[in-house]
Amino acid sequence: GESVGLHLPTLSVQEGDNSIINCAYSNSASDYFIWYKQESGKGPQFIIDIRSNMDKRQGQRVTVLLNKTVKHLSLQIAATQPGDSAVYFCAENPAYYNAGNNRKLIWGLGTSLAVNP
Amino acid sequence: DADVTQTPRNRITKTGKRIMLECSQTKGHDRMYWYRQDPGLGLRLIYYSFDVKDINKGEISDGYSVSRQAQAKFSLSLESAIPNQTALYFCATSDPRRQWEQYFGPGTRLTVT
């Protein structure tokens, strides 16, 4: 079946270190892969996306890598700060040719990132 | 002001009661969604609406109904609440051209006793 899973349910890092959050996916027919951040008591917030024809995309302190050969997605956070503590979700957007107009995001289960001062 | 608002933020109700959760958005998006979040299960889609006249079931629609009163308003109803509907509920919106970039409300924590 189709799934978006996570290698690590929890990740603990020291403030200032780099964080890497991983995600495995099984649906090859997705045109975008996405990362969301959910802070405690809030709704998920879009961080960054990457189109399926790209390998890497950088944002502000974040980098997303896509390895289609092994169906792996990762989010790298540089110089992790206490404000980065949250649950991070990966998601994939099925391509139009595969799902038509009724495309629905496929969500991962989330990784909890804890930043130690 | 928040782009997506949900009311109430917290609700405790009894088994068998009817309850409505409301969502309003000021982003001007056509697409709106209702999700349910349970610990360890991530986000699961209950219903979604592409516009006022287009409403679709998600993966867990049983026991729920929705109403899209206007482009900006999308409400979720539990006709007869049961304890396993205790969860965190989120409303979200998106632009159809970037449907994967969704904007979420702050959530409603619902407890059914």
Side-chain angles (χ1 to χ4, degrees), chain B residues 57-102:
Chain B
K57 292 182 177 180
E59 56 184 307
I60 55 163
S61 60
D62 287 349
Y64 301 95
S65 63
V66 290
S67 175
R68 185 82 184 265
Q69 300 94 324
Q71 186 202 41
K73 296 185 181 296
F74 192 36
S75 59
L76 175 72
S77 293
L78 288 67
E79 297 301 326
S80 181
I82 56 177
N84 77 0
Q85 290 178 313
T86 293
L88 193 52
Y89 291 85
F90 288 103
C91 173
T93 74
S94 73
D95 184 298
R97 295 164 295 183
R98 284 182 60 84
Q99 71 126 26
W100 59 90
E101 183 175 351
Q102 298 185 3

mmCIF file of all heavy atoms in Angstrom, chain B residues 57-102:
data_model
loop_
_atom_site.group_PDB
_atom_site.id
_atom_site.type_symbol
_atom_site.label_atom_id
_atom_site.label_comp_id
_atom_site.label_asym_id
_atom_site.label_seq_id
_atom_site.Cartn_x
_atom_site.Cartn_y
_atom_site.Cartn_z
ATOM 1 N N LYS B 57 -15.945 12.901 0.968
ATOM 2 C CA LYS B 57 -15.562 12.150 2.146
ATOM 3 C C LYS B 57 -14.058 11.889 2.139
ATOM 4 O O LYS B 57 -13.471 11.619 1.099
ATOM 5 C CB LYS B 57 -16.313 10.819 2.203
ATOM 6 C CG LYS B 57 -17.809 10.962 2.443
ATOM 7 C CD LYS B 57 -18.463 9.598 2.545
ATOM 8 C CE LYS B 57 -19.956 9.736 2.854
ATOM 9 N NZ LYS B 57 -20.609 8.410 2.953
ATOM 10 N N GLY B 58 -13.493 11.919 3.338
ATOM 11 C CA GLY B 58 -12.105 11.535 3.493
ATOM 12 C C GLY B 58 -12.013 10.098 3.940
ATOM 13 O O GLY B 58 -12.920 9.293 3.715
ATOM 14 N N GLU B 59 -10.924 9.759 4.593
ATOM 15 C CA GLU B 59 -10.687 8.362 4.967
ATOM 16 C C GLU B 59 -11.471 7.905 6.191
ATOM 17 O O GLU B 59 -11.653 6.707 6.382
ATOM 18 C CB GLU B 59 -9.193 8.140 5.188
ATOM 19 C CG GLU B 59 -8.573 9.060 6.213
ATOM 20 C CD GLU B 59 -7.062 8.872 6.318
ATOM 21 O OE1 GLU B 59 -6.619 7.735 6.517
ATOM 22 O OE2 GLU B 59 -6.341 9.894 6.196
ATOM 23 N N ILE B 60 -11.960 8.836 7.023
ATOM 24 C CA ILE B 60 -12.669 8.441 8.249
ATOM 25 C C ILE B 60 -13.938 9.265 8.437
ATOM 26 O O ILE B 60 -14.145 9.871 9.474
ATOM 27 C CB ILE B 60 -11.757 8.554 9.489
ATOM 28 C CG1 ILE B 60 -11.163 9.955 9.610
ATOM 29 C CG2 ILE B 60 -10.648 7.515 9.461
ATOM 30 C CD1 ILE B 60 -10.607 10.243 10.989
ATOM 31 N N SER B 61 -14.828 9.270 7.475
ATOM 32 C CA SER B 61 -16.009 10.137 7.525
ATOM 33 C C SER B 61 -17.177 9.557 8.328
ATOM 34 O O SER B 61 -18.103 10.300 8.694
ATOM 35 C CB SER B 61 -16.472 10.438 6.100
ATOM 36 O OG SER B 61 -16.800 9.233 5.430
ATOM 37 N N ASP B 62 -17.151 8.273 8.606
ATOM 38 C CA ASP B 62 -18.273 7.668 9.346
ATOM 39 C C ASP B 62 -18.451 8.343 10.707
ATOM 40 O O ASP B 62 -17.512 8.481 11.472
ATOM 41 C CB ASP B 62 -18.035 6.166 9.537
ATOM 42 C CG ASP B 62 -18.215 5.390 8.251
ATOM 43 O OD1 ASP B 62 -18.730 5.975 7.277
ATOM 44 O OD2 ASP B 62 -17.850 4.202 8.217
ATOM 45 N N GLY B 63 -19.718 8.719 11.018
ATOM 46 C CA GLY B 63 -20.005 9.355 12.293
ATOM 47 C C GLY B 63 -19.892 10.864 12.270
ATOM 48 O O GLY B 63 -20.164 11.530 13.275
ATOM 49 N N TYR B 64 -19.485 11.403 11.107
ATOM 50 C CA TYR B 64 -19.311 12.843 10.946
ATOM 51 C C TYR B 64 -20.115 13.333 9.750
ATOM 52 O O TYR B 64 -20.388 12.586 8.816
ATOM 53 C CB TYR B 64 -17.847 13.189 10.701
ATOM 54 C CG TYR B 64 -16.883 12.761 11.780
ATOM 55 C CD1 TYR B 64 -16.199 11.544 11.679
ATOM 56 C CD2 TYR B 64 -16.638 13.570 12.879
ATOM 57 C CE1 TYR B 64 -15.312 11.146 12.656
ATOM 58 C CE2 TYR B 64 -15.736 13.175 13.865
ATOM 59 C CZ TYR B 64 -15.082 11.964 13.747
ATOM 60 O OH TYR B 64 -14.190 11.574 14.716
ATOM 61 N N SER B 65 -20.468 14.616 9.797
ATOM 62 C CA SER B 65 -21.042 15.280 8.636
ATOM 63 C C SER B 65 -20.485 16.699 8.586
ATOM 64 O O SER B 65 -19.950 17.190 9.577
ATOM 65 C CB SER B 65 -22.579 15.309 8.700
ATOM 66 O OG SER B 65 -23.010 16.056 9.823
ATOM 67 N N VAL B 66 -20.587 17.326 7.425
ATOM 68 C CA VAL B 66 -20.054 18.676 7.274
ATOM 69 C C VAL B 66 -21.045 19.547 6.527
ATOM 70 O O VAL B 66 -21.956 19.059 5.854
ATOM 71 C CB VAL B 66 -18.702 18.687 6.521
ATOM 72 C CG1 VAL B 66 -17.590 18.079 7.350
ATOM 73 C CG2 VAL B 66 -18.839 18.013 5.164
ATOM 74 N N SER B 67 -20.811 20.855 6.650
ATOM 75 C CA SER B 67 -21.592 21.834 5.924
ATOM 76 C C SER B 67 -20.662 22.960 5.508
ATOM 77 O O SER B 67 -19.907 23.482 6.319
ATOM 78 C CB SER B 67 -22.717 22.378 6.811
ATOM 79 O OG SER B 67 -23.409 23.416 6.148
ATOM 80 N N ARG B 68 -20.722 23.308 4.223
ATOM 81 C CA ARG B 68 -19.931 24.443 3.721
ATOM 82 C C ARG B 68 -20.916 25.583 3.473
ATOM 83 O O ARG B 68 -21.550 25.689 2.435
ATOM 84 C CB ARG B 68 -19.222 24.043 2.419
ATOM 85 C CG ARG B 68 -18.279 25.104 1.878
ATOM 86 C CD ARG B 68 -16.952 25.083 2.548
ATOM 87 N NE ARG B 68 -16.088 26.159 2.102
ATOM 88 C CZ ARG B 68 -15.178 26.027 1.137
ATOM 89 N NH1 ARG B 68 -15.049 24.873 0.493
ATOM 90 N NH2 ARG B 68 -14.424 27.053 0.806
ATOM 91 N N GLN B 69 -21.003 26.448 4.465
ATOM 92 C CA GLN B 69 -22.034 27.493 4.434
ATOM 93 C C GLN B 69 -21.664 28.625 3.485
ATOM 94 O O GLN B 69 -22.528 29.349 2.985
ATOM 95 C CB GLN B 69 -22.252 28.062 5.838
ATOM 96 C CG GLN B 69 -22.710 27.028 6.870
ATOM 97 C CD GLN B 69 -21.554 26.440 7.652
ATOM 98 O OE1 GLN B 69 -20.464 26.242 7.109
ATOM 99 N NE2 GLN B 69 -21.774 26.149 8.912
ATOM 100 N N ALA B 70 -20.384 28.817 3.291
ATOM 101 C CA ALA B 70 -19.884 29.889 2.433
ATOM 102 C C ALA B 70 -18.438 29.541 2.108
ATOM 103 O O ALA B 70 -17.884 28.588 2.645
ATOM 104 C CB ALA B 70 -19.965 31.242 3.146
ATOM 105 N N GLN B 71 -17.820 30.294 1.221
ATOM 106 C CA GLN B 71 -16.434 30.019 0.900
ATOM 107 C C GLN B 71 -15.575 30.049 2.162
ATOM 108 O O GLN B 71 -14.646 29.260 2.310
ATOM 109 C CB GLN B 71 -15.884 31.046 -0.094
ATOM 110 C CG GLN B 71 -14.462 30.695 -0.560
ATOM 111 C CD GLN B 71 -13.700 31.895 -1.084
ATOM 112 O OE1 GLN B 71 -13.787 32.980 -0.516
ATOM 113 N NE2 GLN B 71 -12.959 31.689 -2.142
ATOM 114 N N ALA B 72 -15.922 30.924 3.089
ATOM 115 C CA ALA B 72 -15.074 31.111 4.259
ATOM 116 C C ALA B 72 -15.436 30.217 5.441
ATOM 117 O O ALA B 72 -14.724 30.221 6.440
ATOM 118 C CB ALA B 72 -15.136 32.578 4.696
ATOM 119 N N LYS B 73 -16.498 29.454 5.370
ATOM 120 C CA LYS B 73 -16.974 28.720 6.542
ATOM 121 C C LYS B 73 -17.229 27.254 6.224
ATOM 122 O O LYS B 73 -17.927 26.927 5.274
ATOM 123 C CB LYS B 73 -18.252 29.359 7.086
ATOM 124 C CG LYS B 73 -18.051 30.785 7.603
ATOM 125 C CD LYS B 73 -19.317 31.318 8.227
ATOM 126 C CE LYS B 73 -19.130 32.746 8.725
ATOM 127 N NZ LYS B 73 -18.120 32.821 9.808
ATOM 128 N N PHE B 74 -16.698 26.401 7.103
ATOM 129 C CA PHE B 74 -16.812 24.955 6.928
ATOM 130 C C PHE B 74 -16.979 24.358 8.308
ATOM 131 O O PHE B 74 -16.080 24.463 9.134
ATOM 132 C CB PHE B 74 -15.540 24.446 6.238
ATOM 133 C CG PHE B 74 -15.599 23.044 5.718
ATOM 134 C CD1 PHE B 74 -16.754 22.503 5.173
ATOM 135 C CD2 PHE B 74 -14.455 22.249 5.733
ATOM 136 C CE1 PHE B 74 -16.786 21.219 4.650
ATOM 137 C CE2 PHE B 74 -14.464 20.951 5.211
ATOM 138 C CZ PHE B 74 -15.634 20.444 4.678
ATOM 139 N N SER B 75 -18.133 23.744 8.581
ATOM 140 C CA SER B 75 -18.380 23.223 9.914
ATOM 141 C C SER B 75 -18.445 21.696 9.898
ATOM 142 O O SER B 75 -18.847 21.087 8.905
ATOM 143 C CB SER B 75 -19.680 23.802 10.485
ATOM 144 O OG SER B 75 -20.773 23.477 9.651
ATOM 145 N N LEU B 76 -18.051 21.127 11.005
ATOM 146 C CA LEU B 76 -18.028 19.671 11.184
ATOM 147 C C LEU B 76 -18.995 19.309 12.297
ATOM 148 O O LEU B 76 -18.968 19.922 13.359
ATOM 149 C CB LEU B 76 -16.621 19.211 11.565
ATOM 150 C CG LEU B 76 -16.438 17.741 11.913
ATOM 151 C CD1 LEU B 76 -16.542 16.879 10.648
ATOM 152 C CD2 LEU B 76 -15.085 17.518 12.589
ATOM 153 N N SER B 77 -19.850 18.326 12.056
ATOM 154 C CA SER B 77 -20.813 17.905 13.066
ATOM 155 C C SER B 77 -20.627 16.440 13.433
ATOM 156 O O SER B 77 -20.327 15.610 12.569
ATOM 157 C CB SER B 77 -22.251 18.107 12.560
ATOM 158 O OG SER B 77 -22.550 19.465 12.407
ATOM 159 N N LEU B 78 -20.812 16.188 14.713
ATOM 160 C CA LEU B 78 -20.896 14.829 15.216
ATOM 161 C C LEU B 78 -22.348 14.647 15.631
ATOM 162 O O LEU B 78 -22.803 15.275 16.587
ATOM 163 C CB LEU B 78 -19.965 14.610 16.397
ATOM 164 C CG LEU B 78 -18.459 14.539 16.147
ATOM 165 C CD1 LEU B 78 -17.886 15.866 15.687
ATOM 166 C CD2 LEU B 78 -17.742 14.041 17.391
ATOM 167 N N GLU B 79 -23.085 13.855 14.891
ATOM 168 C CA GLU B 79 -24.529 13.735 15.133
ATOM 169 C C GLU B 79 -24.834 13.101 16.476
ATOM 170 O O GLU B 79 -25.772 13.497 17.168
ATOM 171 C CB GLU B 79 -25.179 12.939 14.008
ATOM 172 C CG GLU B 79 -25.072 13.606 12.640
ATOM 173 C CD GLU B 79 -25.711 14.984 12.589
ATOM 174 O OE1 GLU B 79 -26.744 15.209 13.281
ATOM 175 O OE2 GLU B 79 -25.185 15.866 11.881
ATOM 176 N N SER B 80 -24.065 12.114 16.848
ATOM 177 C CA SER B 80 -24.245 11.429 18.126
ATOM 178 C C SER B 80 -22.863 11.023 18.619
ATOM 179 O O SER B 80 -22.344 9.970 18.245
ATOM 180 C CB SER B 80 -25.140 10.212 17.948
ATOM 181 O OG SER B 80 -25.342 9.544 19.182
ATOM 182 N N ALA B 81 -22.282 11.891 19.433
ATOM 183 C CA ALA B 81 -20.882 11.705 19.821
ATOM 184 C C ALA B 81 -20.672 10.409 20.601
ATOM 185 O O ALA B 81 -21.531 9.989 21.409
ATOM 186 C CB ALA B 81 -20.428 12.895 20.657
ATOM 187 N N ILE B 82 -19.522 9.793 20.357
ATOM 188 C CA ILE B 82 -19.128 8.589 21.086
ATOM 189 C C ILE B 82 -17.705 8.790 21.617
ATOM 190 O O ILE B 82 -16.948 9.604 21.066
ATOM 191 C CB ILE B 82 -19.200 7.335 20.193
ATOM 192 C CG1 ILE B 82 -18.353 7.512 18.939
ATOM 193 C CG2 ILE B 82 -20.652 7.012 19.833
ATOM 194 C CD1 ILE B 82 -18.331 6.282 18.045
ATOM 195 N N PRO B 83 -17.338 8.079 22.679
ATOM 196 C CA PRO B 83 -16.029 8.307 23.305
ATOM 197 C C PRO B 83 -14.837 8.181 22.353
ATOM 198 O O PRO B 83 -13.843 8.894 22.514
ATOM 199 C CB PRO B 83 -15.992 7.262 24.421
ATOM 200 C CG PRO B 83 -17.429 7.110 24.815
ATOM 201 C CD PRO B 83 -18.181 7.190 23.507
ATOM 202 N N ASN B 84 -14.894 7.285 21.366
ATOM 203 C CA ASN B 84 -13.715 7.156 20.501
ATOM 204 C C ASN B 84 -13.594 8.281 19.480
ATOM 205 O O ASN B 84 -12.687 8.274 18.641
ATOM 206 C CB ASN B 84 -13.643 5.770 19.847
ATOM 207 C CG ASN B 84 -14.594 5.592 18.692
ATOM 208 O OD1 ASN B 84 -15.350 6.494 18.334
ATOM 209 N ND2 ASN B 84 -14.548 4.420 18.077
ATOM 210 N N GLN B 85 -14.475 9.268 19.580
ATOM 211 C CA GLN B 85 -14.319 10.487 18.799
ATOM 212 C C GLN B 85 -13.577 11.566 19.593
ATOM 213 O O GLN B 85 -13.404 12.687 19.114
ATOM 214 C CB GLN B 85 -15.681 11.010 18.324
ATOM 215 C CG GLN B 85 -16.303 10.115 17.271
ATOM 216 C CD GLN B 85 -17.670 10.576 16.818
ATOM 217 O OE1 GLN B 85 -18.538 10.904 17.647
ATOM 218 N NE2 GLN B 85 -17.899 10.593 15.514
ATOM 219 N N THR B 86 -13.143 11.207 20.768
ATOM 220 C CA THR B 86 -12.285 12.091 21.545
ATOM 221 C C THR B 86 -10.963 12.251 20.806
ATOM 222 O O THR B 86 -10.279 11.268 20.530
ATOM 223 C CB THR B 86 -12.025 11.506 22.943
ATOM 224 O OG1 THR B 86 -13.259 11.508 23.682
ATOM 225 C CG2 THR B 86 -10.987 12.325 23.690
ATOM 226 N N ALA B 87 -10.634 13.485 20.458
ATOM 227 C CA ALA B 87 -9.451 13.736 19.636
ATOM 228 C C ALA B 87 -9.248 15.239 19.495
ATOM 229 O O ALA B 87 -10.032 16.042 19.990
ATOM 230 C CB ALA B 87 -9.611 13.103 18.243
ATOM 231 N N LEU B 88 -8.179 15.574 18.773
ATOM 232 C CA LEU B 88 -7.902 16.953 18.398
ATOM 233 C C LEU B 88 -8.339 17.117 16.945
ATOM 234 O O LEU B 88 -7.958 16.308 16.084
ATOM 235 C CB LEU B 88 -6.409 17.212 18.552
ATOM 236 C CG LEU B 88 -5.875 18.634 18.522
ATOM 237 C CD1 LEU B 88 -6.601 19.535 19.504
ATOM 238 C CD2 LEU B 88 -4.382 18.638 18.807
ATOM 239 N N TYR B 89 -9.154 18.126 16.682
ATOM 240 C CA TYR B 89 -9.688 18.338 15.340
ATOM 241 C C TYR B 89 -9.121 19.619 14.745
ATOM 242 O O TYR B 89 -9.109 20.669 15.391
ATOM 243 C CB TYR B 89 -11.222 18.417 15.378
ATOM 244 C CG TYR B 89 -11.866 17.090 15.707
ATOM 245 C CD1 TYR B 89 -12.028 16.674 17.028
ATOM 246 C CD2 TYR B 89 -12.283 16.235 14.692
ATOM 247 C CE1 TYR B 89 -12.599 15.454 17.337
ATOM 248 C CE2 TYR B 89 -12.858 15.011 14.978
ATOM 249 C CZ TYR B 89 -13.014 14.619 16.302
ATOM 250 O OH TYR B 89 -13.573 13.404 16.593
ATOM 251 N N PHE B 90 -8.670 19.506 13.505
ATOM 252 C CA PHE B 90 -8.106 20.655 12.817
ATOM 253 C C PHE B 90 -8.850 20.932 11.523
ATOM 254 O O PHE B 90 -9.179 20.018 10.767
ATOM 255 C CB PHE B 90 -6.631 20.413 12.474
ATOM 256 C CG PHE B 90 -5.713 20.452 13.648
ATOM 257 C CD1 PHE B 90 -5.228 19.292 14.197
ATOM 258 C CD2 PHE B 90 -5.341 21.671 14.203
ATOM 259 C CE1 PHE B 90 -4.376 19.324 15.291
ATOM 260 C CE2 PHE B 90 -4.491 21.726 15.295
ATOM 261 C CZ PHE B 90 -4.007 20.540 15.841
ATOM 262 N N CYS B 91 -9.052 22.213 11.290
ATOM 263 C CA CYS B 91 -9.546 22.690 10.015
ATOM 264 C C CYS B 91 -8.355 23.248 9.243
ATOM 265 O O CYS B 91 -7.401 23.776 9.850
ATOM 266 C CB CYS B 91 -10.584 23.791 10.249
ATOM 267 S SG CYS B 91 -11.166 24.641 8.786
ATOM 268 N N ALA B 92 -8.378 23.124 7.931
ATOM 269 C CA ALA B 92 -7.296 23.650 7.107
ATOM 270 C C ALA B 92 -7.855 24.184 5.796
ATOM 271 O O ALA B 92 -8.968 23.817 5.388
ATOM 272 C CB ALA B 92 -6.244 22.574 6.840
ATOM 273 N N THR B 93 -7.081 25.048 5.147
ATOM 274 C CA THR B 93 -7.476 25.572 3.843
ATOM 275 C C THR B 93 -6.277 25.497 2.898
ATOM 276 O O THR B 93 -5.130 25.397 3.331
ATOM 277 C CB THR B 93 -7.925 27.041 3.923
ATOM 278 O OG1 THR B 93 -6.775 27.890 4.092
ATOM 279 C CG2 THR B 93 -8.868 27.282 5.074
ATOM 280 N N SER B 94 -6.545 25.549 1.622
ATOM 281 C CA SER B 94 -5.457 25.629 0.644
ATOM 282 C C SER B 94 -5.950 26.269 -0.638
ATOM 283 O O SER B 94 -7.143 26.251 -0.956
ATOM 284 C CB SER B 94 -4.874 24.247 0.349
ATOM 285 O OG SER B 94 -5.783 23.473 -0.449
ATOM 286 N N ASP B 95 -4.995 26.828 -1.353
ATOM 287 C CA ASP B 95 -5.247 27.308 -2.697
ATOM 288 C C ASP B 95 -5.218 26.091 -3.627
ATOM 289 O O ASP B 95 -4.339 25.245 -3.491
ATOM 290 C CB ASP B 95 -4.139 28.299 -3.080
ATOM 291 C CG ASP B 95 -4.365 28.924 -4.436
ATOM 292 O OD1 ASP B 95 -4.386 28.182 -5.443
ATOM 293 O OD2 ASP B 95 -4.497 30.153 -4.493
ATOM 294 N N PRO B 96 -6.149 25.943 -4.546
ATOM 295 C CA PRO B 96 -6.164 24.753 -5.400
ATOM 296 C C PRO B 96 -4.902 24.595 -6.248
ATOM 297 O O PRO B 96 -4.559 23.476 -6.638
ATOM 298 C CB PRO B 96 -7.405 24.952 -6.280
ATOM 299 C CG PRO B 96 -7.741 26.392 -6.177
ATOM 300 C CD PRO B 96 -7.278 26.839 -4.825
ATOM 301 N N ARG B 97 -4.208 25.677 -6.530
ATOM 302 C CA ARG B 97 -2.988 25.581 -7.328
ATOM 303 C C ARG B 97 -1.812 25.036 -6.530
ATOM 304 O O ARG B 97 -0.822 24.589 -7.112
ATOM 305 C CB ARG B 97 -2.635 26.954 -7.902
ATOM 306 C CG ARG B 97 -3.659 27.486 -8.900
ATOM 307 C CD ARG B 97 -3.478 28.961 -9.140
ATOM 308 N NE ARG B 97 -3.745 29.745 -7.933
ATOM 309 C CZ ARG B 97 -3.714 31.063 -7.879
ATOM 310 N NH1 ARG B 97 -3.414 31.765 -8.965
ATOM 311 N NH2 ARG B 97 -3.980 31.704 -6.755
ATOM 312 N N ARG B 98 -1.906 25.089 -5.220
ATOM 313 C CA ARG B 98 -0.872 24.541 -4.336
ATOM 314 C C ARG B 98 -1.557 23.817 -3.196
ATOM 315 O O ARG B 98 -1.439 24.180 -2.024
ATOM 316 C CB ARG B 98 0.019 25.660 -3.800
ATOM 317 C CG ARG B 98 1.016 26.192 -4.802
ATOM 318 C CD ARG B 98 1.895 27.279 -4.184
ATOM 319 N NE ARG B 98 2.658 26.803 -3.033
ATOM 320 C CZ ARG B 98 3.823 26.176 -3.116
ATOM 321 N NH1 ARG B 98 4.344 25.912 -4.304
ATOM 322 N NH2 ARG B 98 4.461 25.802 -2.015
ATOM 323 N N GLN B 99 -2.297 22.795 -3.538
ATOM 324 C CA GLN B 99 -3.149 22.154 -2.543
ATOM 325 C C GLN B 99 -2.346 21.476 -1.447
ATOM 326 O O GLN B 99 -2.897 21.177 -0.377
ATOM 327 C CB GLN B 99 -4.071 21.148 -3.222
ATOM 328 C CG GLN B 99 -3.402 19.906 -3.751
ATOM 329 C CD GLN B 99 -4.092 18.663 -3.197
ATOM 330 O OE1 GLN B 99 -5.258 18.678 -2.848
ATOM 331 N NE2 GLN B 99 -3.350 17.574 -3.116
ATOM 332 N N TRP B 100 -1.060 21.255 -1.659
ATOM 333 C CA TRP B 100 -0.235 20.615 -0.620
ATOM 334 C C TRP B 100 0.235 21.620 0.444
ATOM 335 O O TRP B 100 0.756 21.215 1.473
ATOM 336 C CB TRP B 100 0.977 19.945 -1.264
ATOM 337 C CG TRP B 100 1.854 20.888 -2.030
ATOM 338 C CD1 TRP B 100 2.917 21.594 -1.560
ATOM 339 C CD2 TRP B 100 1.726 21.245 -3.412
ATOM 340 N NE1 TRP B 100 3.447 22.367 -2.550
ATOM 341 C CE2 TRP B 100 2.746 22.173 -3.713
ATOM 342 C CE3 TRP B 100 0.849 20.870 -4.437
ATOM 343 C CZ2 TRP B 100 2.909 22.727 -4.976
ATOM 344 C CZ3 TRP B 100 1.014 21.420 -5.699
ATOM 345 C CH2 TRP B 100 2.019 22.336 -5.957
ATOM 346 N N GLU B 101 0.086 22.897 0.179
ATOM 347 C CA GLU B 101 0.447 23.910 1.164
ATOM 348 C C GLU B 101 -0.832 24.308 1.903
ATOM 349 O O GLU B 101 -1.597 25.172 1.449
ATOM 350 C CB GLU B 101 1.082 25.117 0.496
ATOM 351 C CG GLU B 101 1.552 26.165 1.509
ATOM 352 C CD GLU B 101 2.286 27.322 0.862
ATOM 353 O OE1 GLU B 101 2.592 27.241 -0.353
ATOM 354 O OE2 GLU B 101 2.547 28.310 1.575
ATOM 355 N N GLN B 102 -1.041 23.674 3.022
ATOM 356 C CA GLN B 102 -2.291 23.870 3.742
ATOM 357 C C GLN B 102 -2.063 24.737 4.976
ATOM 358 O O GLN B 102 -1.026 24.649 5.641
ATOM 359 C CB GLN B 102 -2.899 22.514 4.135
ATOM 360 C CG GLN B 102 -3.240 21.689 2.891
ATOM 361 C CD GLN B 102 -3.957 20.396 3.174
ATOM 362 O OE1 GLN B 102 -4.286 20.078 4.312
ATOM 363 N NE2 GLN B 102 -4.225 19.638 2.126
#
